[in-house]
Protein backbone atom coordinates (compact mmCIF):
# COMPACT_ATOMS: atom_id res chain seq x y z
CA UNK A 1 0.00 0.00 0.00
CA UNK A 2 1.37 3.39 -0.88
CA UNK A 3 -0.06 6.78 -1.67
CA UNK A 4 -0.37 9.95 0.32
CA UNK A 5 -2.99 10.35 3.03
CA UNK A 6 -3.75 13.63 4.78
CA UNK A 7 -4.69 13.49 8.47
CA UNK A 8 -6.48 16.69 9.41
CA UNK A 9 -6.93 17.32 13.11
CA UNK A 10 -4.29 15.48 15.08
CA UNK A 11 -5.77 14.86 18.52
CA UNK A 12 -6.31 11.38 19.92
CA UNK A 13 -8.41 10.21 16.97
CA UNK A 14 -6.28 11.78 14.23
CA UNK A 15 -3.07 10.42 15.74
CA UNK A 16 -4.61 6.98 15.77
CA UNK A 17 -5.50 7.27 12.11
CA UNK A 18 -1.97 8.37 11.25
CA UNK A 19 -0.69 5.12 12.77
CA UNK A 20 -3.19 3.05 10.76
CA UNK A 21 -2.11 4.56 7.45
CA UNK A 22 1.62 4.81 8.15
CA UNK A 23 2.05 1.25 9.42
CA UNK A 24 0.51 -0.06 6.21
CA UNK A 25 2.99 1.87 4.07
CA UNK A 26 1.17 5.11 3.23
CA UNK A 27 2.85 8.49 3.29
CA UNK A 28 0.98 10.40 6.03
CA UNK A 29 0.88 14.17 6.23
CA UNK A 30 -0.46 15.73 9.42
CA UNK A 31 -2.21 19.09 9.63
CA UNK A 32 -3.75 20.75 12.63
CA UNK A 33 -4.74 24.40 12.94
CA UNK A 34 -3.51 24.51 16.54
CA UNK A 35 0.04 25.85 16.81
CA UNK A 36 2.47 22.98 17.38
CA UNK A 37 -0.37 20.44 17.62
CA UNK A 38 0.75 18.32 14.67
CA UNK A 39 4.36 18.28 15.88
CA UNK A 40 3.15 17.17 19.30
CA UNK A 41 1.01 14.48 17.68
CA UNK A 42 4.06 13.10 15.93
CA UNK A 43 5.80 12.53 19.27
CA UNK A 44 2.65 10.83 20.63
CA UNK A 45 2.60 8.65 17.51
CA UNK A 46 6.25 7.71 18.11
CA UNK A 47 5.38 6.51 21.64
CA UNK A 48 2.39 4.49 20.44
CA UNK A 49 4.51 2.85 17.73
CA UNK A 50 6.97 1.62 20.35
CA UNK A 51 4.09 0.08 22.33
CA UNK A 52 2.71 -1.59 19.22
CA UNK A 53 6.12 -3.01 18.37
CA UNK A 54 6.28 -4.40 21.91
CA UNK A 55 3.13 -6.40 21.16
CA UNK A 56 4.51 -7.46 17.77
CA UNK A 57 1.82 -5.45 15.99
CA UNK A 58 4.07 -3.73 13.42
CA UNK A 59 5.58 -5.29 10.31
CA UNK A 60 8.26 -2.58 10.12
CA UNK A 61 10.31 -0.93 12.84
CA UNK A 62 8.79 2.05 14.69
CA UNK A 63 11.45 4.28 13.07
CA UNK A 64 10.50 3.10 9.58
CA UNK A 65 6.81 3.74 10.24
CA UNK A 66 7.45 7.12 11.86
CA UNK A 67 9.58 8.17 8.87
CA UNK A 68 6.40 8.05 6.77
CA UNK A 69 4.70 10.67 8.97
CA UNK A 70 5.40 14.34 8.33
CA UNK A 71 3.83 17.65 9.30
CA UNK A 72 2.39 19.97 6.65
CA UNK A 73 2.63 23.77 7.01
CA UNK A 74 -0.89 24.31 5.65
CA UNK A 75 -4.14 22.57 4.84
CA UNK A 76 -3.39 23.01 1.13
CA UNK A 77 0.03 21.39 1.50
CA UNK A 78 -1.47 18.48 3.44
CA UNK A 79 -4.09 17.86 0.77
CA UNK A 80 -1.79 18.36 -2.19
CA UNK A 81 -1.62 15.06 -4.09
CA UNK A 82 -3.40 13.09 -1.35
CA UNK A 83 -5.57 10.17 -2.43
CA UNK A 84 -7.54 10.46 0.80
CA UNK A 85 -8.00 12.85 3.71
CA UNK A 86 -9.25 11.75 7.13
CA UNK A 87 -10.78 14.62 9.09
CA UNK A 88 -10.84 14.33 12.91
CA UNK A 89 -11.54 17.85 14.16
CA UNK A 90 -13.89 18.85 16.99
CA UNK A 91 -17.35 17.19 16.94
CA UNK A 92 -19.27 20.42 16.30
CA UNK A 93 -21.31 21.26 13.22
CA UNK A 94 -19.97 24.81 12.86
CA UNK A 95 -16.35 23.67 13.15
CA UNK A 96 -16.83 20.93 10.60
CA UNK A 97 -18.77 23.21 8.21
CA UNK A 98 -15.90 25.69 8.19
CA UNK A 99 -13.26 23.00 7.77
CA UNK A 100 -15.09 21.40 4.83
CA UNK A 101 -15.40 24.82 3.17
CA UNK A 102 -11.66 25.31 3.65
CA UNK A 103 -10.97 21.85 2.24
CA UNK A 104 -13.23 22.56 -0.73
CA UNK A 105 -11.24 25.66 -1.59
CA UNK A 106 -7.95 23.80 -2.08
CA UNK A 107 -8.77 20.14 -2.72
CA UNK A 108 -7.53 18.48 -5.92
CA UNK A 109 -9.85 16.51 -8.19
CA UNK A 110 -8.70 13.05 -7.03
CA UNK A 111 -8.88 13.38 -3.25
CA UNK A 112 -11.65 11.74 -1.21
CA UNK A 113 -12.52 12.96 2.30
CA UNK A 114 -13.69 10.89 5.26
CA UNK A 115 -14.89 12.41 8.52
CA UNK A 116 -14.29 10.74 11.90
CA UNK A 117 -17.61 12.19 13.09
CA UNK A 118 -19.05 9.90 15.73
CA UNK A 119 -22.57 11.22 15.46
CA UNK A 120 -23.08 14.21 13.16
CA UNK A 121 -24.02 13.01 9.67
CA UNK A 122 -22.05 14.40 6.73
CA UNK A 123 -25.15 16.01 5.24
CA UNK A 124 -25.02 18.65 7.99
CA UNK A 125 -21.55 19.92 7.03
CA UNK A 126 -20.99 19.06 3.36
CA UNK A 127 -24.17 20.38 1.72
CA UNK A 128 -22.54 23.69 0.79
CA UNK A 129 -19.38 22.55 -0.98
CA UNK A 130 -18.48 21.60 -4.56
CA UNK A 131 -16.65 18.37 -3.71
CA UNK A 132 -19.48 17.00 -1.59
CA UNK A 133 -19.87 13.89 -3.73
CA UNK A 134 -16.38 12.90 -2.55
CA UNK A 135 -17.16 13.27 1.17
CA UNK A 136 -18.59 10.78 3.67
CA UNK A 137 -18.39 9.76 7.32
CA UNK A 138 -15.65 7.23 8.14
CA UNK A 139 -16.25 6.71 11.86
CA UNK A 140 -13.62 4.72 13.80
CA UNK A 141 -13.55 3.22 17.25
CA UNK A 142 -10.70 4.39 19.41
CA UNK A 143 -7.93 3.59 18.92
CA UNK A 144 -8.38 2.66 15.23
CA UNK A 145 -5.03 0.84 15.10
CA UNK A 146 -6.39 -1.70 17.62
CA UNK A 147 -10.13 -1.75 16.76
CA UNK A 148 -10.28 -2.17 12.97
CA UNK A 149 -13.95 -1.24 12.52
CA UNK A 150 -14.74 1.86 10.45
CA UNK A 151 -18.33 2.85 9.71
CA UNK A 152 -18.81 4.37 6.27
CA UNK A 153 -21.93 6.54 6.16
CA UNK A 154 -22.67 8.42 2.93
CA UNK A 155 -24.58 11.69 2.73
CA UNK A 156 -27.41 11.70 0.18
CA UNK A 157 -25.01 13.28 -2.35
CA UNK A 158 -22.00 11.06 -1.70
CA UNK A 159 -21.14 9.24 -4.95
CA UNK A 160 -21.37 5.44 -4.72
CA UNK A 161 -17.88 5.37 -6.25
CA UNK A 162 -16.62 7.34 -3.23
CA UNK A 163 -17.99 4.75 -0.81
CA UNK A 164 -16.49 1.93 -2.86
CA UNK A 165 -13.08 3.58 -3.12
CA UNK A 166 -12.89 4.42 0.59
CA UNK A 167 -14.04 0.90 1.47
CA UNK A 168 -11.29 -0.54 -0.73
CA UNK A 169 -8.70 1.83 0.76
CA UNK A 170 -9.70 0.89 4.32
CA UNK A 171 -9.42 -2.79 3.48
CA UNK A 172 -5.99 -2.26 1.95
CA UNK A 173 -4.72 -0.60 5.12
CA UNK A 174 -6.07 -3.45 7.25
CA UNK A 175 -9.22 -1.86 8.66
CA UNK A 176 -12.64 -3.52 8.68
CA UNK A 177 -15.02 -1.15 6.87
CA UNK A 178 -18.78 -1.54 7.18
CA UNK A 179 -21.36 0.44 5.24
CA UNK A 180 -24.54 2.05 6.38
CA UNK A 181 -26.58 2.56 3.23
CA UNK A 182 -27.91 5.92 4.43
CA UNK A 183 -27.63 8.32 7.34
CA UNK A 184 -29.17 7.13 10.60
CA UNK A 185 -28.80 8.47 14.13
CA UNK A 186 -25.95 6.70 15.94
CA UNK A 187 -24.93 4.94 12.73
CA UNK A 188 -24.73 1.16 13.34
CA UNK A 189 -22.27 0.67 16.19
CA UNK A 190 -23.73 3.18 18.61
CA UNK A 191 -27.27 1.99 17.91
CA UNK A 192 -26.26 -1.53 18.92
CA UNK A 193 -24.37 -0.21 21.93
CA UNK A 194 -27.22 2.12 22.83
CA UNK A 195 -30.02 -0.47 22.96
CA UNK A 196 -27.86 -2.79 25.04
CA UNK A 197 -26.83 -0.01 27.44
CA UNK A 198 -30.44 1.11 27.86
CA UNK A 199 -31.39 -2.42 28.94
CA UNK A 200 -28.29 -2.74 31.13
CA UNK A 201 -29.11 0.49 32.98
CA UNK A 202 -32.74 -0.59 33.40
CA UNK A 203 -31.67 -3.92 34.96
CA UNK A 204 -29.31 -2.19 37.38
CA UNK A 205 -31.88 0.52 38.19
CA UNK A 206 -34.47 -2.13 39.04
CA UNK A 207 -31.98 -3.89 41.31
CA UNK A 208 -32.14 -7.07 39.26
CA UNK A 209 -28.38 -7.30 38.90
CA UNK A 210 -25.34 -5.38 40.05
CA UNK A 211 -23.25 -3.34 37.62
CA UNK A 212 -20.37 -5.72 38.28
CA UNK A 213 -22.38 -8.86 37.54
CA UNK A 214 -23.85 -7.26 34.45
CA UNK A 215 -20.36 -6.66 33.09
CA UNK A 216 -19.37 -10.22 33.97
CA UNK A 217 -22.37 -11.52 32.01
CA UNK A 218 -20.83 -9.92 28.95
CA UNK A 219 -17.11 -10.39 29.53
CA UNK A 220 -17.35 -14.04 30.62
CA UNK A 221 -20.25 -15.08 28.41
CA UNK A 222 -22.03 -13.12 25.72
CA UNK A 223 -18.97 -11.12 24.66
CA UNK A 224 -16.70 -14.08 23.96
CA UNK A 225 -18.21 -15.15 20.63
CA UNK A 226 -19.05 -11.57 19.69
CA UNK A 227 -15.36 -10.68 19.83
CA UNK A 228 -14.67 -12.82 16.78
CA UNK A 229 -18.02 -13.62 15.12
CA UNK A 230 -20.68 -11.02 15.74
CA UNK A 231 -24.25 -11.63 16.94
CA UNK A 232 -25.83 -12.93 13.73
CA UNK A 233 -23.23 -15.58 12.99
CA UNK A 234 -23.42 -16.53 16.68
CA UNK A 235 -27.12 -17.38 16.49
CA UNK A 236 -26.66 -18.94 13.04
CA UNK A 237 -24.35 -21.50 14.65
CA UNK A 238 -26.46 -21.89 17.80
CA UNK A 239 -29.33 -23.93 16.35
CA UNK A 240 -29.07 -27.15 14.34
CA UNK A 241 -30.80 -25.60 11.32
CA UNK A 242 -29.05 -22.23 11.39
CA UNK A 243 -30.46 -18.75 11.89
CA UNK A 244 -33.99 -19.48 10.68
CA UNK A 245 -34.24 -22.43 13.05
CA UNK A 246 -32.90 -20.25 15.87
CA UNK A 247 -35.33 -17.43 15.08
CA UNK A 248 -38.32 -19.76 15.21
CA UNK A 249 -37.18 -21.21 18.56
CA UNK A 250 -36.15 -18.00 20.32
CA UNK A 251 -37.97 -15.25 18.43
CA UNK A 252 -41.00 -15.41 20.75
CA UNK A 253 -38.80 -14.96 23.84
CA UNK A 254 -37.06 -11.93 22.35
CA UNK A 255 -40.38 -10.42 21.18
CA UNK A 256 -41.67 -10.78 24.70
CA UNK A 257 -38.55 -9.21 26.22
CA UNK A 258 -38.78 -6.39 23.67
CA UNK A 259 -42.39 -5.74 24.63
CA UNK A 260 -41.36 -5.45 28.27
CA UNK A 261 -38.64 -2.91 27.41
CA UNK A 262 -40.80 -0.65 25.26
CA UNK A 263 -40.97 2.04 27.93
CA UNK A 264 -37.47 3.46 28.17
CA UNK A 265 -35.83 4.84 31.27
CA UNK A 266 -34.36 8.29 31.36
CA UNK A 267 -30.77 8.49 32.55
CA UNK A 268 -31.49 11.25 35.04
CA UNK A 269 -29.23 12.40 37.87
CA UNK A 270 -30.64 9.86 40.32
CA UNK A 271 -30.04 6.94 37.98
CA UNK A 272 -26.62 8.23 36.96
CA UNK A 273 -25.66 8.52 40.64
CA UNK A 274 -26.71 4.91 41.22
CA UNK A 275 -24.56 3.52 38.41
CA UNK A 276 -21.71 5.86 39.30
CA UNK A 277 -21.73 4.65 42.91
CA UNK A 278 -21.52 1.02 41.86
CA UNK A 279 -18.70 1.65 39.43
CA UNK A 280 -16.70 3.73 41.93
CA UNK A 281 -17.01 0.91 44.42
CA UNK A 282 -15.19 -1.35 41.94
CA UNK A 283 -12.86 1.32 40.57
CA UNK A 284 -12.10 4.55 42.47
CA UNK A 285 -11.98 7.68 40.31
CA UNK A 286 -8.25 8.05 40.92
CA UNK A 287 -7.68 4.61 39.37
CA UNK A 288 -9.45 5.38 36.08
CA UNK A 289 -6.28 6.39 34.23
CA UNK A 290 -4.37 3.31 35.32
CA UNK A 291 -7.30 1.10 34.32
CA UNK A 292 -7.38 2.77 30.86
CA UNK A 293 -3.74 1.82 30.40
CA UNK A 294 -4.67 -1.74 31.42
CA UNK A 295 -7.50 -1.72 28.85
CA UNK A 296 -5.12 -0.59 26.12
CA UNK A 297 -2.66 -3.37 26.95
CA UNK A 298 -5.48 -5.90 26.88
CA UNK A 299 -6.72 -4.53 23.54
CA UNK A 300 -3.21 -4.83 22.10
CA UNK A 301 -2.85 -8.37 23.35
CA UNK A 302 -6.28 -9.24 21.98
CA UNK A 303 -5.38 -7.73 18.59
CA UNK A 304 -2.19 -9.81 18.57
CA UNK A 305 -4.17 -12.91 19.54
CA UNK A 306 -6.69 -12.37 16.72
CA UNK A 307 -3.91 -11.80 14.19
CA UNK A 308 -2.23 -15.03 15.29
CA UNK A 309 -5.50 -16.92 14.85
CA UNK A 310 -6.08 -15.50 11.39
CA UNK A 311 -2.54 -16.23 10.30
CA UNK A 312 -2.78 -19.80 11.58
CA UNK A 313 -6.04 -20.26 9.67
CA UNK A 314 -4.78 -18.79 6.41
CA UNK A 315 -1.70 -21.02 6.72
CA UNK A 316 -3.82 -24.16 7.01
CA UNK B 1 -11.50 -28.18 45.26
CA UNK B 2 -12.94 -31.54 46.16
CA UNK B 3 -16.37 -32.87 47.05
CA UNK B 4 -18.89 -34.87 45.08
CA UNK B 5 -21.06 -33.26 42.40
CA UNK B 6 -23.98 -35.01 40.70
CA UNK B 7 -24.59 -34.21 37.03
CA UNK B 8 -28.16 -35.17 36.16
CA UNK B 9 -28.99 -35.26 32.47
CA UNK B 10 -25.85 -35.87 30.43
CA UNK B 11 -26.52 -34.37 27.03
CA UNK B 12 -24.39 -31.55 25.60
CA UNK B 13 -24.98 -29.25 28.57
CA UNK B 14 -24.58 -31.88 31.30
CA UNK B 15 -21.39 -33.23 29.71
CA UNK B 16 -20.00 -29.72 29.66
CA UNK B 17 -20.77 -29.28 33.36
CA UNK B 18 -19.07 -32.59 34.16
CA UNK B 19 -15.87 -31.23 32.60
CA UNK B 20 -16.10 -28.01 34.62
CA UNK B 21 -16.37 -29.85 37.93
CA UNK B 22 -13.96 -32.70 37.17
CA UNK B 23 -11.14 -30.52 35.88
CA UNK B 24 -11.20 -28.50 39.10
CA UNK B 25 -10.83 -31.65 41.22
CA UNK B 26 -14.41 -32.60 42.10
CA UNK B 27 -15.66 -36.16 42.06
CA UNK B 28 -18.38 -36.13 39.37
CA UNK B 29 -21.15 -38.71 39.20
CA UNK B 30 -23.27 -38.81 36.06
CA UNK B 31 -26.88 -39.89 35.92
CA UNK B 32 -29.20 -39.95 32.94
CA UNK B 33 -32.52 -41.76 32.68
CA UNK B 34 -31.80 -42.72 29.07
CA UNK B 35 -30.30 -46.22 28.77
CA UNK B 36 -26.57 -45.94 28.11
CA UNK B 37 -26.72 -42.16 27.90
CA UNK B 38 -24.37 -41.47 30.82
CA UNK B 39 -21.85 -44.06 29.56
CA UNK B 40 -21.94 -42.40 26.13
CA UNK B 41 -21.49 -38.98 27.76
CA UNK B 42 -18.35 -40.23 29.46
CA UNK B 43 -16.79 -41.06 26.08
CA UNK B 44 -17.78 -37.61 24.76
CA UNK B 45 -16.20 -36.04 27.85
CA UNK B 46 -12.99 -38.01 27.18
CA UNK B 47 -12.81 -36.54 23.65
CA UNK B 48 -13.42 -32.99 24.87
CA UNK B 49 -10.73 -33.37 27.53
CA UNK B 50 -8.18 -34.28 24.86
CA UNK B 51 -9.10 -31.14 22.91
CA UNK B 52 -8.80 -28.99 26.03
CA UNK B 53 -5.39 -30.46 26.81
CA UNK B 54 -4.36 -29.59 23.25
CA UNK B 55 -5.10 -25.94 24.02
CA UNK B 56 -3.31 -26.20 27.40
CA UNK B 57 -6.59 -25.67 29.23
CA UNK B 58 -6.22 -28.48 31.79
CA UNK B 59 -3.98 -28.49 34.85
CA UNK B 60 -4.07 -32.30 35.03
CA UNK B 61 -3.88 -34.92 32.29
CA UNK B 62 -7.11 -35.89 30.50
CA UNK B 63 -6.83 -39.35 32.10
CA UNK B 64 -6.57 -37.85 35.58
CA UNK B 65 -9.62 -35.66 35.00
CA UNK B 66 -11.62 -38.49 33.42
CA UNK B 67 -10.82 -40.75 36.38
CA UNK B 68 -12.91 -38.39 38.53
CA UNK B 69 -16.02 -38.99 36.38
CA UNK B 70 -18.16 -42.05 37.04
CA UNK B 71 -21.64 -43.23 36.13
CA UNK B 72 -24.27 -43.82 38.80
CA UNK B 73 -26.84 -46.62 38.49
CA UNK B 74 -29.66 -44.49 39.89
CA UNK B 75 -30.64 -40.93 40.73
CA UNK B 76 -30.38 -41.81 44.43
CA UNK B 77 -26.85 -43.13 43.99
CA UNK B 78 -25.84 -40.01 42.06
CA UNK B 79 -27.17 -37.71 44.78
CA UNK B 80 -25.86 -39.73 47.72
CA UNK B 81 -23.35 -37.56 49.56
CA UNK B 82 -23.23 -34.90 46.82
CA UNK B 83 -22.63 -31.31 47.91
CA UNK B 84 -24.27 -30.08 44.71
CA UNK B 85 -26.34 -31.42 41.84
CA UNK B 86 -26.49 -29.74 38.42
CA UNK B 87 -29.65 -30.63 36.52
CA UNK B 88 -29.57 -30.39 32.70
CA UNK B 89 -32.59 -32.33 31.49
CA UNK B 90 -34.99 -31.33 28.71
CA UNK B 91 -36.21 -27.69 28.80
CA UNK B 92 -39.86 -28.57 29.49
CA UNK B 93 -41.83 -27.70 32.63
CA UNK B 94 -43.43 -31.16 32.98
CA UNK B 95 -40.10 -32.95 32.62
CA UNK B 96 -38.42 -30.70 35.17
CA UNK B 97 -41.36 -30.90 37.61
CA UNK B 98 -41.14 -34.70 37.61
CA UNK B 99 -37.36 -34.69 37.97
CA UNK B 100 -37.43 -32.30 40.91
CA UNK B 101 -40.08 -34.46 42.62
CA UNK B 102 -37.83 -37.48 42.07
CA UNK B 103 -34.84 -35.57 43.44
CA UNK B 104 -36.88 -34.44 46.46
CA UNK B 105 -37.70 -38.05 47.32
CA UNK B 106 -34.07 -39.11 47.71
CA UNK B 107 -31.99 -35.98 48.34
CA UNK B 108 -29.88 -35.72 51.48
CA UNK B 109 -30.05 -32.69 53.79
CA UNK B 110 -26.78 -31.09 52.58
CA UNK B 111 -27.21 -31.18 48.81
CA UNK B 112 -28.02 -28.05 46.79
CA UNK B 113 -29.55 -28.27 43.31
CA UNK B 114 -28.95 -25.97 40.34
CA UNK B 115 -30.94 -26.16 37.11
CA UNK B 116 -29.36 -25.41 33.72
CA UNK B 117 -32.74 -24.02 32.58
CA UNK B 118 -32.15 -21.38 29.96
CA UNK B 119 -35.55 -19.79 30.28
CA UNK B 120 -38.00 -21.52 32.61
CA UNK B 121 -37.75 -20.02 36.11
CA UNK B 122 -37.30 -22.41 39.03
CA UNK B 123 -40.60 -21.30 40.59
CA UNK B 124 -42.43 -23.24 37.86
CA UNK B 125 -40.92 -26.60 38.79
CA UNK B 126 -39.84 -26.42 42.44
CA UNK B 127 -42.99 -25.08 44.14
CA UNK B 128 -44.20 -28.56 45.07
CA UNK B 129 -41.15 -30.04 46.79
CA UNK B 130 -39.79 -30.04 50.35
CA UNK B 131 -36.21 -29.07 49.44
CA UNK B 132 -37.25 -26.09 47.33
CA UNK B 133 -35.24 -23.65 49.46
CA UNK B 134 -32.11 -25.47 48.20
CA UNK B 135 -32.99 -25.17 44.49
CA UNK B 136 -32.25 -22.39 42.00
CA UNK B 137 -31.45 -21.80 38.34
CA UNK B 138 -27.74 -21.99 37.45
CA UNK B 139 -27.84 -21.19 33.74
CA UNK B 140 -24.61 -21.69 31.74
CA UNK B 141 -23.55 -20.66 28.28
CA UNK B 142 -22.44 -23.52 26.08
CA UNK B 143 -19.94 -24.95 26.53
CA UNK B 144 -19.52 -24.00 30.22
CA UNK B 145 -15.88 -25.14 30.27
CA UNK B 146 -15.05 -22.37 27.76
CA UNK B 147 -17.59 -19.66 28.68
CA UNK B 148 -17.33 -19.28 32.47
CA UNK B 149 -20.55 -17.29 32.99
CA UNK B 150 -23.29 -18.89 35.08
CA UNK B 151 -26.48 -17.01 35.89
CA UNK B 152 -27.85 -17.76 39.35
CA UNK B 153 -31.58 -17.03 39.53
CA UNK B 154 -33.39 -17.82 42.79
CA UNK B 155 -37.06 -18.72 43.04
CA UNK B 156 -39.01 -16.70 45.65
CA UNK B 157 -38.41 -19.53 48.14
CA UNK B 158 -34.74 -20.16 47.44
CA UNK B 159 -32.78 -19.50 50.63
CA UNK B 160 -30.20 -16.68 50.38
CA UNK B 161 -27.69 -19.16 51.85
CA UNK B 162 -28.29 -21.42 48.85
CA UNK B 163 -27.44 -18.62 46.42
CA UNK B 164 -24.32 -17.74 48.42
CA UNK B 165 -23.14 -21.33 48.64
CA UNK B 166 -23.66 -22.03 44.93
CA UNK B 167 -21.94 -18.77 44.04
CA UNK B 168 -18.96 -19.75 46.19
CA UNK B 169 -18.89 -23.25 44.67
CA UNK B 170 -18.98 -21.85 41.13
CA UNK B 171 -16.13 -19.48 41.94
CA UNK B 172 -14.09 -22.33 43.43
CA UNK B 173 -14.45 -24.38 40.25
CA UNK B 174 -13.38 -21.42 38.11
CA UNK B 175 -16.74 -20.27 36.76
CA UNK B 176 -17.94 -16.66 36.78
CA UNK B 177 -21.27 -16.61 38.65
CA UNK B 178 -23.62 -13.63 38.38
CA UNK B 179 -26.81 -13.18 40.37
CA UNK B 180 -30.21 -12.01 39.30
CA UNK B 181 -31.93 -10.92 42.49
CA UNK B 182 -35.29 -12.30 41.33
CA UNK B 183 -36.85 -14.17 38.43
CA UNK B 184 -37.12 -12.23 35.18
CA UNK B 185 -37.88 -13.40 31.66
CA UNK B 186 -34.66 -14.20 29.80
CA UNK B 187 -32.64 -13.71 32.99
CA UNK B 188 -29.80 -11.23 32.35
CA UNK B 189 -27.77 -12.63 29.44
CA UNK B 190 -30.63 -13.32 27.07
CA UNK B 191 -32.23 -9.96 27.80
CA UNK B 192 -29.01 -8.22 26.76
CA UNK B 193 -28.69 -10.48 23.72
CA UNK B 194 -32.37 -10.03 22.88
CA UNK B 195 -32.45 -6.23 22.77
CA UNK B 196 -29.31 -6.16 20.64
CA UNK B 197 -30.63 -8.82 18.25
CA UNK B 198 -33.95 -7.00 17.88
CA UNK B 199 -32.10 -3.85 16.80
CA UNK B 200 -29.75 -5.86 14.56
CA UNK B 201 -32.67 -7.50 12.74
CA UNK B 202 -34.40 -4.13 12.36
CA UNK B 203 -31.31 -2.56 10.78
CA UNK B 204 -30.93 -5.45 8.34
CA UNK B 205 -34.68 -5.48 7.58
CA UNK B 206 -34.59 -1.79 6.75
CA UNK B 207 -31.64 -2.32 4.43
CA UNK B 208 -29.44 -0.02 6.47
CA UNK B 209 -26.66 -2.55 6.77
CA UNK B 210 -25.92 -6.08 5.57
CA UNK B 211 -25.90 -9.00 8.00
CA UNK B 212 -22.19 -9.41 7.27
CA UNK B 213 -21.33 -5.79 8.03
CA UNK B 214 -23.47 -5.86 11.15
CA UNK B 215 -21.43 -8.79 12.45
CA UNK B 216 -18.20 -7.01 11.54
CA UNK B 217 -19.34 -3.97 13.54
CA UNK B 218 -19.38 -6.20 16.60
CA UNK B 219 -16.44 -8.54 15.95
CA UNK B 220 -14.00 -5.81 14.84
CA UNK B 221 -15.26 -3.03 17.09
CA UNK B 222 -17.87 -3.14 19.80
CA UNK B 223 -17.16 -6.74 20.83
CA UNK B 224 -13.44 -6.31 21.49
CA UNK B 225 -13.69 -4.50 24.83
CA UNK B 226 -16.83 -6.39 25.82
CA UNK B 227 -14.89 -9.66 25.62
CA UNK B 228 -12.81 -8.69 28.65
CA UNK B 229 -14.56 -5.73 30.33
CA UNK B 230 -18.30 -5.62 29.74
CA UNK B 231 -20.37 -2.61 28.62
CA UNK B 232 -20.49 -0.61 31.86
CA UNK B 233 -16.76 -0.62 32.53
CA UNK B 234 -16.27 0.19 28.84
CA UNK B 235 -18.22 3.45 29.09
CA UNK B 236 -16.73 4.18 32.52
CA UNK B 237 -13.31 4.32 30.85
CA UNK B 238 -14.56 6.12 27.73
CA UNK B 239 -15.07 9.58 29.21
CA UNK B 240 -12.55 11.62 31.21
CA UNK B 241 -14.81 11.76 34.27
CA UNK B 242 -16.02 8.16 34.16
CA UNK B 243 -19.50 6.75 33.71
CA UNK B 244 -21.42 9.79 34.99
CA UNK B 245 -19.52 12.04 32.61
CA UNK B 246 -20.18 9.58 29.77
CA UNK B 247 -23.88 9.35 30.62
CA UNK B 248 -24.31 13.14 30.52
CA UNK B 249 -22.54 13.33 27.15
CA UNK B 250 -24.14 10.37 25.40
CA UNK B 251 -27.34 9.74 27.35
CA UNK B 252 -29.40 12.03 25.08
CA UNK B 253 -28.22 10.16 21.95
CA UNK B 254 -29.15 6.78 23.43
CA UNK B 255 -32.51 8.11 24.66
CA UNK B 256 -33.21 9.30 21.16
CA UNK B 257 -32.19 5.98 19.60
CA UNK B 258 -34.32 4.16 22.17
CA UNK B 259 -37.33 6.29 21.27
CA UNK B 260 -36.87 5.37 17.61
CA UNK B 261 -36.78 1.66 18.44
CA UNK B 262 -39.86 1.60 20.66
CA UNK B 263 -41.97 -0.12 18.01
CA UNK B 264 -40.56 -3.61 17.71
CA UNK B 265 -40.45 -5.73 14.60
CA UNK B 266 -41.88 -9.20 14.52
CA UNK B 267 -39.54 -11.92 13.27
CA UNK B 268 -42.08 -13.30 10.82
CA UNK B 269 -41.36 -15.70 7.95
CA UNK B 270 -40.56 -12.90 5.50
CA UNK B 271 -38.00 -11.31 7.80
CA UNK B 272 -36.53 -14.66 8.78
CA UNK B 273 -36.11 -15.52 5.09
CA UNK B 274 -34.27 -12.25 4.51
CA UNK B 275 -31.74 -12.85 7.27
CA UNK B 276 -31.45 -16.52 6.34
CA UNK B 277 -30.66 -15.64 2.72
CA UNK B 278 -27.89 -13.27 3.74
CA UNK B 279 -26.34 -15.76 6.14
CA UNK B 280 -26.49 -18.63 3.62
CA UNK B 281 -24.71 -16.41 1.12
CA UNK B 282 -21.77 -16.17 3.55
CA UNK B 283 -22.05 -19.71 4.91
CA UNK B 284 -23.87 -22.49 3.02
CA UNK B 285 -26.00 -24.78 5.21
CA UNK B 286 -23.69 -27.71 4.53
CA UNK B 287 -20.79 -25.74 6.05
CA UNK B 288 -22.52 -25.03 9.37
CA UNK B 289 -21.02 -28.01 11.18
CA UNK B 290 -17.50 -27.21 10.05
CA UNK B 291 -17.93 -23.60 11.08
CA UNK B 292 -19.13 -24.70 14.55
CA UNK B 293 -15.91 -26.68 14.94
CA UNK B 294 -14.02 -23.52 13.95
CA UNK B 295 -15.95 -21.52 16.54
CA UNK B 296 -15.09 -24.03 19.24
CA UNK B 297 -11.39 -23.86 18.35
CA UNK B 298 -11.53 -20.07 18.45
CA UNK B 299 -13.33 -20.15 21.81
CA UNK B 300 -10.66 -22.47 23.20
CA UNK B 301 -7.87 -20.25 21.91
CA UNK B 302 -9.62 -17.17 23.35
CA UNK B 303 -10.03 -18.91 26.72
CA UNK B 304 -6.32 -19.76 26.68
CA UNK B 305 -5.48 -16.16 25.72
CA UNK B 306 -7.58 -14.75 28.58
CA UNK B 307 -6.02 -17.15 31.07
CA UNK B 308 -2.55 -16.10 29.93
CA UNK B 309 -3.48 -12.45 30.39
CA UNK B 310 -4.84 -13.03 33.88
CA UNK B 311 -1.84 -15.08 34.92
CA UNK B 312 0.54 -12.40 33.63
CA UNK B 313 -1.38 -9.75 35.57
CA UNK B 314 -1.51 -11.69 38.82
CA UNK B 315 2.22 -12.37 38.45
CA UNK B 316 3.00 -8.66 38.10
Amino acid sequence: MSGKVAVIGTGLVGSGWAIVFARSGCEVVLFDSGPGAAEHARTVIAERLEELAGFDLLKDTPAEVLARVSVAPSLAAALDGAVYAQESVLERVDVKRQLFADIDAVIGPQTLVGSSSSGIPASLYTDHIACRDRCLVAHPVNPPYLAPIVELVPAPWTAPATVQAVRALMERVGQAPVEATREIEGFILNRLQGVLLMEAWRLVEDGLVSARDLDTTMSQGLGLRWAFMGPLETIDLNAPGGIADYARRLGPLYQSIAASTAEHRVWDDTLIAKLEAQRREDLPAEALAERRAWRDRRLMALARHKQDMQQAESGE
Side-chain angles (χ1 to χ4, degrees), chain A residues 226-251:
Chain A
W226 287 358
F228 61 91
M229 291 201 303
L232 297 175
E233 181 160 17
T234 293
I235 64 173
D236 196 28
L237 300 184
N238 266 358
I243 193 169
D245 185 15
Y246 182 97
R248 291 198 180 90
R249 290 167 192 247
L250 281 152

Side-chain angles (χ1 to χ4, degrees), chain A residues 4 6-8 29-33 38-39 71-80 106:
Chain A
K4 174 179 166 180
V7 166
I8 300 165
V29 181
L30 308 176
F31 176 76
D32 195 294
S33 61
E39 287 78 4
V71 174
S74 67
L75 181 62
L79 289 169
D80 183 40
V106 296

Side-chain angles (χ1 to χ4, degrees), chain A residues 213-237:
Chain A
D213 279 5
L214 189 129
D215 270 353
T216 299
T217 305
M218 181 65 73
S219 65
Q220 303 288 337
L222 201 49
L224 299 176
R225 288 167 176 77
W226 287 358
F228 61 91
M229 291 201 303
L232 297 175
E233 181 160 17
T234 293
I235 64 173
D236 196 28
L237 300 184

